[in-house]
Amino acid sequence: MSLINLSNISKHYEMGTQVVKALDGIDIGVEQNEYLAFIGSSGSGKSTMLNILGCLDTPTSGQYRLNDKVVENLDQNALSEIRNQEIGFIFQSFNLLPRANALANVMQPLIYRSIGLKERKRRAMQSLERVGLADRVDHLPNQLSGGQRQRVAIARALVTQPSILLADEPTGNLDSKTTIEIMRLFDELHSEGQTLIIVTHEDEIAAHCQRIVEMKDGKIHSDSAVGLAKDSH
Amino acid sequence: MFFAMIESARSAFASILAHGLRSFLTTLGIVIGVASVIAVVSVTQGMSAFISDTFSSLGTNSLTIQSYTPFEDQMKGIRARLTPADLELIESRATGIASITPILAANRSSQIKYGSQTSFSQIMGTTYAFQDVAQTFTQRGRFLAATDNQTRRRIAVIGDKVRENLSLPEDPINEYVEIAGEWFKVVGLLEERGEIMGMNRDDMVLVPYATMVSLQGNQARIDIQIQLSLSESANVDEVSQQLTTLLRNAHGLSSEEDDDFRIQTAEQLMEEFDQIIGMVTMVIGGVVGISLLVGGIGIMNIMLVSVTERTREIGICKAVGAKRHHILMQFLIEAILLSLLGGVIGLALGFGMGTLISNTIPGFPPASIPLWSVGLALGFSGFVGVLFGILPAAKAANLDPIDALRYE
Ligand SMILES: Nc1ncnc2c1ncn2[C@@H]1O[C@H](COP(=O)(O)OP(=O)(O)OP(=O)(O)O)[C@@H](O)[C@H]1O
Ligand SMILES: [Mg+2]
């Protein structure tokens, strides 16, 4: 059974008389512990895709099964619950709470799980150690470098032990050296059994992944396994 | 839910502190509303406790009858009067009266002299019965006696304030004072009764009624006051009804004409006073209501600004799993905290103002804050927080996560 199963997913935006088809009849399945990259030109629908996978956005039509649960018609609260339980989201612009320090940012998702402060701290510390930031826990986001911020965001995504980690251009705001560090971290997570889906522009980043899906005009243009002996569809 | 609430409160505190000045200005409306209600309540509460003490010491079973001339008649030069004949009539015909005394106020100057000292005071001609009726007793010497009246003796019983004003000795008995060009021997000094609402009740001089009558040249124009106390079994309403009938007949009033006198009971005075306090409280209540409304709108406004400012943060919280009620609670708690903050500051300020008022006005009873008013003030400000916080909080809670995250 696939971890993720999309069938005929579309996302349309009505702009006046014109209809923008950000996603147009997408069928795709993602298995446990896959390491997948969405690539494609700007405006091809990658972010829209990832937002729908992350239950941040809802499709206009089609069916989305996540861990065997039908999610496309759920209400906001149920989607919040799924985001909290199943999904770790990493953004290009980090999206940390500006007035909370690194530790508090990482603890944030656990608040919504009604976990006590002590346990929240313990898990958040563990997660921050995992990304190598144990010595920066009481720094505010604006006291951290871009790479450090992204690592806090990764720690926050990991702290809930999600089924999938979704990252939308996670290194888009980082220099090449930091990019390599972050990608090394992703590789490690993958080797530990984490399922990862990454949106990227850069071939070097896509090269880390085992499966590359190219999008074009809201459709899947190609879907190819690399490293593994699989042909494209 | 519990931990989420603690975290909401914590983050609400943090954001209130982060915008210290803005938060303070926002709560100003609430501060003013609560401060004014507390100031007024603390002053009127102190006052009304004091007043009802005073009235009960006056005796609730006493009546005062005074002549009454409507303003239009006064303009025409007509003057209603209560005469010694009225007094006699009441003495001989009315029932249920324990003691009764006429009071004749000095009609010209109320000047009183002792040596080189001159003072103005309330000079009244009355009888020994005044003692019972007004519950006024002497601390030194004696009160007016029945014989003083019969012989029109030139004697006076004075209040302590008068003694002080005239620099009379501690024991003024047997000293002579000059009233309206006549010498009066001081035979008694009244017990101190203190001030009531800035009026000194020790500033009075009592002389025998008949003496006062003889001092006032024109006997035909004498207008007296009658004070009486009721016997224990008597009913105030029945007695005043009886007196009204007697006096109306004596004054030859037809059924269309209004009374040309007024009968007042201590109870009535107290009721009137309560009415005034009630009215003041209502007016202030209106002012407070309006300022709480304005304060609430201020809070709503700043909370809406705050929701807009923090749209991205709301998006982030939702992205990591915050449900609608988590966000709603966070902003609602912030609004309530803001409002309560205003309430607490207002409480302190109001009590300070009340204390200041009662301390600066001499003879004013000390301010007191009843616990219920503290509860009410905080309850109200909390309620305002909920009422005006709910809209911005709901707005925040209903934000779509993807839109909120995209917000620049
Ligand atoms: N809220 C929206 N309203 C209208 N159109 C939208 C909206 N969001 C996305 N689109 C449109 O949907 C299409 C896909 O957008 P999307 O953000 O998924 O592209 P992308 O592949 O992530 O591009 P990039 O690489 O530049 O980030 C674009 O044409 C965009 O204009
Ligand atoms: Mg994008």
Side-chain angles (χ1 to χ4, degrees):
Chain A
M1 173 79 335
S2 301
L3 180 60
I4 286 172
N5 201 314
L6 300 190
S7 63
N8 202 23
I9 288 281
S10 294
K11 179 72 179 179
H12 295 174
Y13 293 105
E14 281 184 37
M15 308 295 286
T17 55
Q18 209 186 341
V19 175
V20 178
K21 294 180 177 176
L23 291 180
D24 192 13
I26 300 277
D27 295 295
I28 195 173
V30 180
E31 304 298 323
Q32 201 68 250
N33 195 218
E34 271 199 80
Y35 196 3
L36 185 152
F38 281 108
I39 58 168
S41 57
S42 186
S44 57
K46 306 182 297 293
S47 293
T48 309
M49 180 78 194
L50 209 68
N51 290 339
I52 285 174
L53 289 176
C55 295
L56 278 171
D57 209 351
T58 47
T60 315
S61 65
Q63 205 188 45
Y64 175 14
R65 284 169 167 273
L66 172 65
N67 261 346
D68 243 6
K69 274 177 280 189
V70 176
V71 294
E72 75 270 8
N73 287 324
L74 295 179
D75 66 10
Q76 280 295 346
N77 278 350
L79 290 175
S80 286
E81 176 118 15
I82 288 178
R83 288 195 294 268
N84 189 246
Q85 304 287 334
E86 308 280 357
I87 289 158
F89 218 111
I90 296 156
F91 304 88
Q92 177 175 355
S93 52
F94 322 129
N95 277 341
L96 297 176
L97 296 173
R99 284 180 288 121
N101 64 23
L103 185 66
N105 263 291
V106 178
M107 290 195 298
Q108 191 72 17
L110 300 178
I111 292 173
Y112 309 120
R113 286 196 182 178
S114 296
I115 292 171
L117 182 64
K118 233 178 164 177
E119 177 65 9
R120 256 185 281 156
K121 254 188 190 145
R122 195 186 64 77
R123 292 197 201 174
M125 277 307 298
Q126 215 173 29
S127 194
L128 280 164
E129 272 162 27
R130 178 68 196 82
V131 299
L133 270 183
D135 55 341
R136 293 284 190 280
V137 291
D138 48 8
H139 285 225
L140 291 174
N142 63 12
Q143 296 164 336
L144 294 169
S145 72
Q148 287 168 336
R149 284 185 217 183
Q150 194 59 299
R151 280 198 264 174
V152 173
I154 295 170
R156 179 179 65 188
L158 289 174
V159 78
T160 56
Q161 299 179 313
S163 318
I164 349 160
L165 214 54
L166 301 173
D168 192 351
E169 305 195 34
T171 59
N173 285 358
L174 303 175
D175 62 24
S176 54
K177 183 170 161 283
T178 322
T179 298
I180 291 168
E181 283 170 22
I182 296 289
M183 287 319 294
R184 194 170 291 148
L185 182 58
F186 281 158
D187 292 347
E188 279 171 32
L189 291 171
H190 172 245
S191 66
E192 287 164 14
Q194 183 70 55
T195 311
L196 285 117
I197 301 176
I198 295 172
V199 165
T200 184
H201 273 126
E202 297 161 61
D203 293 340
E204 300 94 80
I205 289 176
H208 283 259
C209 301
Q210 296 173 339
R211 179 180 173 190
I212 297 174
V213 177
E214 189 184 353
M215 310 252 329
K216 196 173 176 187
D217 298 332
K219 290 194 168 79
I220 292 178
H221 183 67
S222 70
D223 185 346
S224 61
V226 284
L228 294 167
K230 258 193 206 171
D231 289 332
S232 62
H233 295 275
Chain B
M1 189 68 194
F2 172 70
F3 292 116
M5 218 148 128
I6 292 177
E7 287 307 317
S8 299
R10 198 215 300 275
S11 97
F13 257 120
S15 87
I16 286 171
L17 287 180
H19 303 111
L21 181 63
R22 179 168 106 180
S23 304
F24 173 72
L25 292 176
T26 305
T27 62
L28 219 52
I30 306 279
V31 169
I32 291 168
V34 170
S36 47
V37 76
I38 291 297
V40 169
V41 164
S42 66
V43 168
T44 52
Q45 281 295 307
M47 209 152 81
S48 66
F50 183 72
I51 298 274
S52 46
D53 277 1
T54 311
F55 277 118
S56 62
S57 79
L58 267 179
T60 45
N61 65 339
S62 81
L63 285 178
T64 306
I65 314 171
Q66 274 175 297
S67 63
Y68 170 76
T69 315
F71 186 67
E72 294 133 59
D73 286 356
Q74 282 182 31
M75 298 302 286
K76 293 180 205 151
I78 303 170
R79 230 160 250 286
R81 293 192 298 119
L82 267 180
T83 61
D86 291 328
L87 174 68
E88 273 167 42
L89 182 74
I90 293 168
E91 275 176 328
S92 60
R93 303 277 295 278
T95 55
I97 292 169
S99 30
I100 181 164
T101 182
I103 297 171
L104 181 57
N107 65 349
R108 285 193 306 262
S109 124
S110 334
Q111 222 182 68
I112 175 164
K113 283 186 193 164
Y114 172 71
S116 59
Q117 298 287 329
T118 303
S119 163
F120 290 87
S121 179
Q122 196 187 357
I123 302 169
M124 302 188 291
T126 186
T127 67
Y128 66 96
F130 185 83
Q131 187 164 219
D132 291 334
V133 173
Q135 297 288 303
T136 309
F137 306 100
T138 53
Q139 52 165 313
R140 280 175 193 277
R142 64 175 179 85
F143 202 78
L144 304 172
T147 51
D148 295 330
N149 213 27
Q150 285 149 16
T151 57
R152 296 182 186 176
R153 287 187 63 185
R154 307 256 151 114
I155 55 152
V157 176
I158 62 172
D160 198 63
K161 181 80 179 162
V162 180
R163 184 195 61 75
E164 208 182 296
N165 286 348
L166 292 176
S167 312
L168 275 156
E170 278 290 307
D171 181 359
I173 310 300
N174 293 332
E175 298 292 329
Y176 280 84
V177 292
E178 192 189 330
I179 300 168
E182 306 279 349
W183 289 104
F184 284 73
K185 184 163 109 178
V186 176
V187 297
L189 179 67
L190 293 171
E191 282 174 353
E192 273 183 76
R193 301 206 301 168
E195 285 181 66
I196 171 170
M197 299 175 70
M199 218 173 71
N200 194 304
R201 295 186 300 159
D202 297 323
D203 192 7
M204 65 179 175
V205 177
L206 305 175
V207 301
Y209 170 68
T211 312
M212 186 59 113
V213 171
S214 70
L215 280 180
Q216 300 199 348
N218 192 344
Q219 302 282 316
R221 291 179 59 184
I222 281 178
D223 179 21
I224 61 170
Q225 261 183 46
I226 299 169
Q227 248 190 41
L228 52 88
S229 63
L230 303 183
S231 56
E232 258 168 48
S233 57
N235 172 295
V236 180
D237 294 331
E238 278 168 20
V239 173
S240 20
Q241 193 50 51
Q242 199 185 62
L243 293 175
T244 307
T245 315
L246 273 177
L247 288 173
R248 283 187 68 92
N249 285 338
H251 294 186
L253 297 176
S254 67
S255 54
E256 296 99 66
E257 286 176 289
D258 291 329
D259 293 346
D260 59 356
F261 54 89
R262 285 281 178 270
I263 301 176
Q264 279 185 318
T265 63
E267 223 162 323
Q268 248 173 6
L269 282 175
M270 208 158 111
E271 271 166 31
E272 272 166 35
F273 182 78
D274 277 351
Q275 262 174 12
I276 291 172
I277 288 212
M279 242 155 66
V280 169
T281 309
M282 247 163 64
V283 169
I284 292 294
V287 171
V288 168
I290 290 169
S291 72
L292 284 183
L293 185 78
V294 171
I297 292 171
I299 286 184
M300 178 154 78
N301 190 31
I302 221 68
M303 288 308 298
L304 284 171
V305 169
S306 174
V307 167
T308 308
E309 278 177 351
R310 282 191 273 163
T311 300
R312 256 184 100 90
E313 284 179 49
I314 295 164
I316 295 169
C317 289
K318 286 206 153 186
V320 300
K323 294 185 180 167
R324 294 187 59 232
H325 63 258
H326 291 127
I327 305 291
L328 186 88
M329 207 162 57
Q330 182 180 337
F331 282 89
L332 201 55
I333 286 178
E334 189 170 328
I336 294 171
L337 270 179
L338 262 180
S339 196
L340 279 181
L341 184 78
V344 171
I345 297 175
L347 208 65
L349 208 67
F351 185 58
M353 259 156 48
T355 312
L356 201 73
I357 291 170
S358 55
N359 285 351
T360 36
I361 300 179
F364 221 84
S368 79
I369 299 191
L371 217 59
W372 61 261
S373 71
V374 175
L376 200 74
L378 294 184
F380 251 110
S381 44
F383 174 72
V384 165
V386 173
L387 192 69
F388 291 94
I390 197 88
L391 182 89
K395 191 185 165 209
N398 287 336
L399 281 176
D400 188 60
I402 197 79
D403 292 339
L405 280 171
R406 274 195 197 124
Y407 185 84
E408 295 296 329

